[in-house]
Each structure stands twice: as C-alpha cells, then as structure tokens.
Amino acid sequence: MQSIRIPAAERTPEVEFDFASGRLSLAGESYPEDTAAFFGPLQQALHDYLTTAPAATIEFDLRMVYFNSSSAKALMNLFRLLEEQATRGLAITIRWWYHEEDETMLESGEDFAEEFQHAQFLLTLIA
C-alpha cells in the first residue's frame, strides 16, 4: 500500500502514514473547513491498510497543537479502527505528545486514552 504524505497547511495537520513500516503520524493544527473531505480519505486508507496489516506493530504518533471538535471526532474514528485491530491481537501503540504547559492537549489526550482497552495509549511529554 502506498504511503500518504501531506504537508501541513494553514488549517490541516501534516500527515505521514508510512504503511510499509507501520508508522503513522499527524502533527500540527486541525480545523479544516470540510473535516470529512480531509479525514475521510485518511480513514479509508487506514481501514484498507488494517484489513491486510502487513506490519507486526503499528505506531501512531500525534503531535497536535490545536484541533476543533469536528477534528476530534475524526481522530476518534481513526482511533476506533486501531482499537478494533488491537482487540484482534495486532500490537497498536498510540503516542499522544504534549508540551508540559499545554494542559488542554494533556486533558484531550487523557480523554481519548479512556476509550482504549486493547491498544496502548501513551501520554508523552515533549522535552
């Protein structure tokens, strides 16, 4: 499956989905005017990848500085796909990076982490 690389734009995060290595990442800000148009293809690509999942492990790094509520819903949709695969035994690690002074991102990560039983969700302080 072909990797997805999208540079960050004014309202959308940088996307690096390296399916061959099982390393996925989103970084930056996310408040697109059409959330479905931006995240829909990413969700479909992740779904397609997970149905074959050649990697033994999948690592998803998130280094968000801001996201709106519709982006939060889109992130949760991506996370649900990962959690579903983790219930089937695939090793999934989601790493939520945050700055020490950014309590909002820490709290958001804590909220997302509560939804996971099988995927490993790590809150990681950016040094």
Side-chain angles (χ1 to χ4, degrees):
M1 179 165 210
Q2 189 170 1
S3 295
I4 299 173
R5 296 197 193 316
I6 303 171
E10 182 179 339
R11 300 171 67 97
T12 56
E14 173 187 72
V15 177
E16 291 191 17
F17 283 11
D18 183 351
F19 294 117
S21 70
R23 296 196 50 92
L24 316 172
S25 70
L26 293 173
E29 297 184 8
S30 182
Y31 53 103
E33 289 195 29
D34 188 346
T35 304
F38 182 79
F39 281 100
L42 298 177
Q43 185 175 346
Q44 185 61 53
L46 181 59
H47 176 270
D48 294 347
Y49 167 68
L50 290 172
T51 59
T52 59
T57 62
I58 296 173
E59 295 183 13
F60 194 158
D61 285 307
L62 291 106
R63 294 177 184 256
M64 304 301 292
V65 281
Y66 173 79
F67 56 90
N68 63 7
S69 59
S70 59
S71 293
K73 183 177 178 182
L75 289 173
M76 183 52 81
N77 289 337
L78 293 173
F79 292 158
R80 283 188 179 130
L81 291 172
L82 294 168
E83 175 68 3
E84 181 181 320
Q85 291 302 311
T87 64
R88 296 184 175 141
L90 194 62
I92 308 277
T93 301
I94 300 166
R95 194 168 293 109
W96 184 273
W97 296 87
Y98 68 96
H99 289 279
E100 184 175 12
E101 66 280 356
D102 192 346
E103 290 182 26
T104 302
M105 279 299 123
L106 172 58
E107 290 171 6
S108 294
E110 290 171 340
D111 290 343
F112 281 121
E114 290 177 4
E115 300 296 320
F116 295 92
Q117 303 279 324
H118 299 92
Q120 184 176 26
F121 196 102
L122 304 173
L123 297 167
T124 307
L125 183 64
I126 297 172

